[in-house]
Every structure is written in C-alpha cells, then in structure tokens.
C-alpha cells in the first residue's frame, strides 16, 4: 500500500500572547528576542526586559509582536509623559526618557550602518536636538463617525490597528494647532452626514493655522461656515478629491522663514515641508557649514522640494541646480528664488529614480551635491550622482535603512564618510533624521 506523507500544516502564532526575553534593540529601538528558531521584533520592549507580547505577524524567518505587559522592566523604563501613549500610534518611544531615546536610536543606527557598509566605526558628531514638546507643525488627524452610537472620534490611529484613538490633546503637536480636537468634535456631529469628513490635515505656517478637511461627499456653504465660526483664526480648506483643494475663505499664502538666512519660503498647503521648524533651521545652517560653500561652487540640490536647502545654498554659491519630481513644487522653488532675489538658481523637474535625461543639469559640473530623498532613499539616483564625481556629497536622510544601502554604494565608488549626525526631528518616535557628509578619496 502506498503511504502518502502530508506535512502537518504549521499553526500560526498570529494573535497569540507569548513571553519574550529581550536581548537587544534594532535601529528603531524595537526589542529583539527569540521564539524557538525565529527572531522576534517586539515593539515597546527594551533590552534586558522580559515581556508578554501579542503576535502581530508570523513569517517563516521572523515574528513581530507588541508588548502588552512588562514582567521585568529595564532600569531605563519611565512612565510615559503622554496619557495616550499606550494606545496612540503616533509616538513609539515614550517608555524612555528623551536622552535614552536619542542614545538608543543612534546606537541602533550605528550598528545597522556598520553592518551594511563594513565600516568599523562611524565619525559621529553631536546630534541636533530641540524642544521635544509641541514641535510638529503638520499632522494628519483621523476622524471616525460611529453611525450606530452617533459618536465622533477625533485623533490618531491606534498602534498596530486601524482604529482611531479619540484624543483631546497631543503633546508633540504645536500648541497653535491644539484647538483642532475640540472644534472638530463640536462641529462634525452637526453635519447632515457626519461620516463624510474622514480626516483633517493641520498645518502651522508661521503663526497661521491651516486646516484642510478631506470629505467624501459635498459640504454645503452653511456647513463650511460652521467650521469657520468654530475656529475663525484658522484658515479652512476642503479636499473633495485627493489633491483637489479649495479655500473656503479668501486664500492666504502659507509660508515659513529661515530666520538665520533671512529667507521666506512660500508653499502650497499640500506641498512637502519639514515637520519640525526649529530643527529644520538647524539642519539648513549645518548643511551650509559642512559643505563649506564658497562663491566658486556649482551645487546640485536633489529632491529639492520648494527650495528649503536650495535657496540657502544659492546665497553662498555661484549657481545651484534644484531638481524635484513634483512639477508644482519645481515652479514654487523658482518663484521662491525670485521672491528672495536669487538669480543663480535653476530649477528642473525630473524623476530621479529613473535614468537621468541627457540634459544641461546632468553633467559633471558640480563641486558639491546635497540630496534629501523621501523614505525610499536615492535608489537608482545614487549611482548617477557618483558618475558626476562631485568632491563632496551631503546626504540628508529620513530612513536609516535606505541610507545604509545608499551609503554602501558611495563607499564602494570612491567616497569616504567624513561626518555623520542624528537630527532628532521626530522626538518620541522611532525615527531619527541623519545628515552625512561624504568626500571623494
Ligand atoms: C524629504 S523631501 C525633501 C524636500 C526638501 N529638500 C526640503 O528640505 O523641504 C523629499 C522630496 O523628494 C521629492 N521626490 C520624491 N521622490 C522623487 C523622485 N523619484 N524624483 C524626484 N523627486 C522626488 C518629493 O516630492 C519631496 O519634495
């Protein structure tokens, strides 16, 4: 008789609660432990701790879990300063004091970069830091209307979940934007269809609050007036379809200042700007210092946005080419250069992750390059940068993993890492911005 062997289906660990001994932490300060043969990444757990954690993902090589109970705490563990920390997904590191957060983030990133690049030590410089409260000048606030209970929830997404956690205040949001929670809670239930508004983008530009409400059904002028009357100091806008934004009041131009450079930058409410104004200022000034820009420099600023670095570089360089993927932002960059009296800025649109066009800006004419890509890093771009053979490359990164990958390429193609520093742009979260200066050997 033929015996057919059938492998027993493995039972998934998903949703189970297990106990983990945490040995170390990764670059996002998630605890690392082990379960049988699998490596376990446990959010909310610290090295040296024993925790109970719920399994969120069960993959062949690893599992991901979230701490639900700390059985044996680390000496570094503190009580979170925000009363929503345990349920809100916005900040992941409030169980550490701010200095320990910064130390552990840098240690984890140091390990990641050394592992990827093979460097034995990194030339770390002092981290750029500022106030860890009230620093966010932009945020997306979730809105959920429960039709059965006729109740609105305004807040952030729960950690590891899609549910909105209703909150009344946020420790890291700029105080100017604080009224958003009360006012939305007041007005949304008065709408004909309260479920029509799904989220609010809040923005502080200078001393002005801008609120863009995303709504899936039209809102009447009377309904728009309810929001304006509730918080008249704010400027209200509606987004009926993605990226189709209308002012409900006379338009006001959002802008911010780089006071140290005496620059004024204008932007559209949906354009990218750096989240933390104080640290952005420090970052721009440090970029000028590290690159040591002089009047002979021809500089290439990649992923230039609305010209945050471009204009400051142009004040000291001969010429700056700013390249950006979004056409509207390229136009804004050119306008900002004009508004600030800078005639040595040239702005181009290009998708930097595709093959670069054979054009005036893609030539080996640069002494210095600054790049500030989004989280995906400079995939496809970093190879093309090195072909231009600039003397110095300043890489500003918001994702250490993609930075480590790109840094490896730079080191393999004739560059050395001169300086690196963290920028604690998103205090209390697992993210750390990086600035790294590479020079040609
Ligand atoms: C982190 S932001 C930096 C913007 C600017 N340097 C600043 O400091 O405000 C990254 C910028 O890269 C742009 N970008 C993203 N992917 C791109 C691509 N494939 N090609 C060109 N630009 C891209 C985004 O539109 C965004 O403006």
């Amino acid at each position: 008789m033929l015996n057919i062997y059938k492998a027993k289906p493995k039972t998934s660990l998903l949703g189970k609660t297990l106990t983990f001994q945490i040995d170390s932490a990764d670059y996002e300060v998630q605890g690392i432990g082990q379960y049988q043969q699998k490596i376990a990444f446990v959010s909310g757990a610290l090295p040296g701790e024993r925790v109970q954690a719920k399994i969120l993902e069960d993959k062949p090589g690893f599992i991901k879990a979230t701490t639900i109970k700390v059985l044996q705490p680390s000496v570094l563990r503190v009580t979170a300063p925000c009363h929503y920390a345990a349920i809100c997904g916005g900040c992941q590191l409030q169980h550490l004091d701010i200095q320990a957060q910064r130390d552990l983030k840098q240690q984890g990133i140091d390990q990641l970069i050394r592992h990827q690049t093979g460097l034995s030590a990194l030339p770390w410089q002092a981290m750029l830091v500022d106030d860890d409260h009230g620093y966010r000048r932009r945020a997306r606030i979730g809105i959920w209307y429960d039709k059965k209970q006729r109740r609105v929830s305004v807040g952030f997404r729960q950690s590891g979940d899609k549910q909105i956690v209703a909150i009344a205040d946020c420790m890291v949001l700029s105080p100017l934007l604080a009224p958003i929670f009360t006012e939305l809670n007041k007005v949304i239930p008065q709408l004909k269809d309260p479920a029509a508004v799904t989220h609010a983008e809040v923005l502080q530009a200078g001393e002005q609050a801008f609120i863009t409400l995303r709504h899936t059904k039209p809102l009447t002028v009377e309904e728009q007036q309810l929001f304006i009357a509730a918080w008249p100091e704010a400027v209200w806008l509606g987004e009926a379809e993605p990226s189709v934004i209308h002012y409900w009041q006379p338009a006001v131009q959002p802008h911010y200042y780089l006071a140290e450079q005496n620059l004024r930058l204008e932007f559209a409410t949906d354009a990218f700007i750096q989240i933390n104004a104080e640290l952005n200022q420090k970052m721009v000034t440090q970029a000028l210092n590290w690159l040591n820009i002089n009047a002979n420099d021809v500089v290439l600023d990649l992923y230039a946005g609305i010209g945050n670095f471009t204009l400051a570089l142009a004040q000291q360089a001969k010429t700056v080419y700013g390249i950006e993927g979004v056409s509207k932002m390229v136009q804004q960059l050119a306008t900002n250069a004009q508004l600030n009296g800078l005639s040595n800025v040239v702005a181009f649109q290009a998708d930097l992750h595709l093959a670069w066009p054979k054009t005036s800006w893609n030539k080996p004419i640069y002494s210095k390059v600054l790049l500030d890509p989004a989280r995906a890093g400079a995939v496809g771009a970093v190879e093309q940068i090195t072909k231009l053979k600039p003397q110095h490359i300043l890489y500003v990164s918001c994702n250490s993993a993609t930075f480590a990958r790109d840094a490896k390429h730079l080191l393999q193609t004739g560059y050395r890492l001169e300086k690196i520093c963290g920028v604690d742009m998103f205090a209390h979260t697992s993210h750390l911005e990086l600035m790294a200066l590479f020079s040609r050997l």
Side-chain angles (χ1 to χ4, degrees):
M1 193 166 71
L2 184 66
N3 278 326
I4 298 174
Y5 171 77
K6 256 193 178 170
K8 255 197 193 163
K10 289 221 167 95
T11 43
S12 169
L13 298 171
L14 206 66
K16 292 203 166 131
T17 298
L18 300 173
T19 300
F20 295 93
Q21 181 64 41
I22 305 299
D23 308 316
S24 54
D26 71 1
Y27 71 99
E28 290 183 317
V29 199
Q30 289 192 94
I32 300 181
Q34 192 139 3
Y35 181 74
Q36 295 175 345
Q37 303 311 316
K38 291 187 184 183
I39 185 160
F41 297 98
V42 186
S43 65
L46 295 171
E49 290 189 329
R50 205 155 57 83
V51 300
Q52 276 182 349
K54 186 175 162 194
I55 311 299
L56 302 177
E57 271 184 62
D58 181 9
K59 295 277 151 74
F62 68 91
I63 49 187
K64 282 192 173 180
T66 184
T67 301
I68 51 174
K69 191 171 181 189
V70 180
L71 303 173
Q72 195 183 332
S74 155
V75 288
L76 291 177
R77 185 170 282 277
V78 295
T79 305
C82 168
H83 38 278
Y84 300 110
I87 45 171
C88 174
C91 298
Q92 302 84 33
L93 296 185
Q94 293 211 3
H95 52 290
L96 286 165
D97 79 25
I98 190 68
Q99 189 53 50
Q101 287 178 24
R102 290 170 178 159
D103 291 346
L104 288 185
K105 283 198 262 194
Q106 182 167 316
Q107 277 167 31
I109 291 170
D110 177 72
Q111 242 176 26
L112 170 80
I113 298 172
R114 284 192 292 107
H115 177 75
Q116 270 271 358
T117 60
L119 289 173
S120 56
L122 303 185
W124 286 105
Q125 310 293 306
M127 192 181 287
L128 299 185
V129 298
D130 208 89
D131 196 345
D132 59 310
H133 285 60
Y135 64 80
R136 279 195 84 102
R137 60 174 163 175
R138 157 169 267 160
R140 171 184 276 218
I141 313 282
I143 303 165
W144 169 251
Y145 185 71
D146 185 333
K147 286 183 182 162
K148 266 197 200 144
Q149 311 241 16
R150 295 180 173 213
R151 206 176 50 203
V152 65
S153 299
V154 177
F156 293 109
R157 294 212 179 281
Q158 221 162 15
S159 52
D161 206 328
K162 287 199 174 134
Q163 292 288 320
I164 304 282
V165 179
I167 64 173
D169 54 79
C170 169
M171 186 186 101
V172 297
L173 191 64
S174 159
L176 186 94
L177 301 170
I180 189 67
F181 302 105
T182 317
E183 303 313 334
L184 290 180
N185 272 306
K186 211 159 53 188
V187 179
I188 302 261
Q190 298 178 47
L191 303 178
K192 188 166 156 247
D193 180 1
V197 181
T198 56
H199 62 259
E201 292 278 349
V202 296
L203 164 73
Q204 172 173 356
E207 287 310 308
Q208 180 62 58
F210 290 81
I211 316 297
T212 305
L213 290 185
R214 174 86 176 98
H215 54 96
T216 52
K217 292 188 185 144
L219 297 175
T220 63
V221 173
E222 290 72 30
E223 288 178 315
Q224 295 172 8
Q225 284 303 323
L226 290 175
F227 290 102
I228 296 169
W231 187 4
E233 295 79 17
V235 174
W236 291 85
L237 303 95
E239 187 183 18
E241 295 167 41
S243 301
V244 182
I245 296 173
H246 295 287
Y247 278 88
W248 291 348
Q249 294 152 286
V252 177
Q253 177 62 61
H255 65 273
Y256 65 89
Y257 286 100
L258 287 172
E260 288 178 26
Q261 284 72 34
N262 195 22
L263 287 168
R264 176 186 149 108
L265 286 104
E266 297 189 349
F267 60 100
T269 50
D270 59 343
F272 175 91
I273 59 161
Q274 305 280 355
I275 290 284
N276 184 322
E278 306 299 327
L279 279 166
N280 181 48
Q281 173 65 79
K282 291 187 183 181
M283 207 164 60
V284 170
T285 299
Q286 178 156 287
L288 298 176
N289 291 338
W290 280 17
L291 280 171
N292 193 19
I293 303 290
N294 64 61
N296 295 320
D297 281 323
V298 178
V299 184
L300 179 62
D301 179 18
L302 298 170
Y303 308 93
I306 57 153
N308 185 47
F309 289 103
T310 330
L311 304 194
L313 292 165
Q315 287 179 323
Q316 299 181 6
K318 184 174 169 198
T319 312
V320 183
Y321 289 72
I323 319 296
E324 159 62 41
V326 178
S327 303
K328 263 175 33 182
M329 289 211 268
V330 177
Q331 278 165 24
Q332 187 72 68
L333 194 169
T335 306
N336 281 335
Q338 223 173 24
L339 290 173
N340 287 282
L342 293 162
S343 55
N344 58 341
V345 172
V346 198
F348 285 97
Q349 188 279 332
D351 184 336
L352 292 164
H353 297 169
L354 302 179
W356 291 2
K358 287 194 174 60
T359 184
S360 57
W361 65 263
N362 184 13
K363 298 225 164 97
I365 52 174
Y366 306 105
S367 46
K368 292 160 189 176
V369 171
L370 186 151
L371 70 153
D372 178 20
R375 291 187 61 74
V379 63
V382 75
E383 295 80 2
Q384 307 190 74
I385 296 170
T386 49
K387 282 188 195 145
L388 301 178
K389 297 191 164 59
Q391 192 54 41
H392 302 286
I393 298 174
L394 180 60
Y395 194 138
V396 179
S397 161
C398 56
N399 182 340
S400 313
T402 54
F403 169 78
R405 176 201 65 202
D406 295 342
K408 184 177 173 189
H409 177 81
L410 292 175
L411 297 170
Q412 284 171 342
T413 45
Y415 286 85
R416 72 168 177 275
L417 179 58
E418 294 263 3
K419 289 177 183 174
I420 180 166
C421 82
V423 182
D424 200 17
M425 183 82 98
F426 320 97
H428 303 290
T429 79
S430 51
H431 300 294
L432 187 68
E433 189 96 358
L434 295 175
M435 294 181 79
L437 181 69
F438 296 85
S439 298
R440 235 164 98 77
L441 294 168

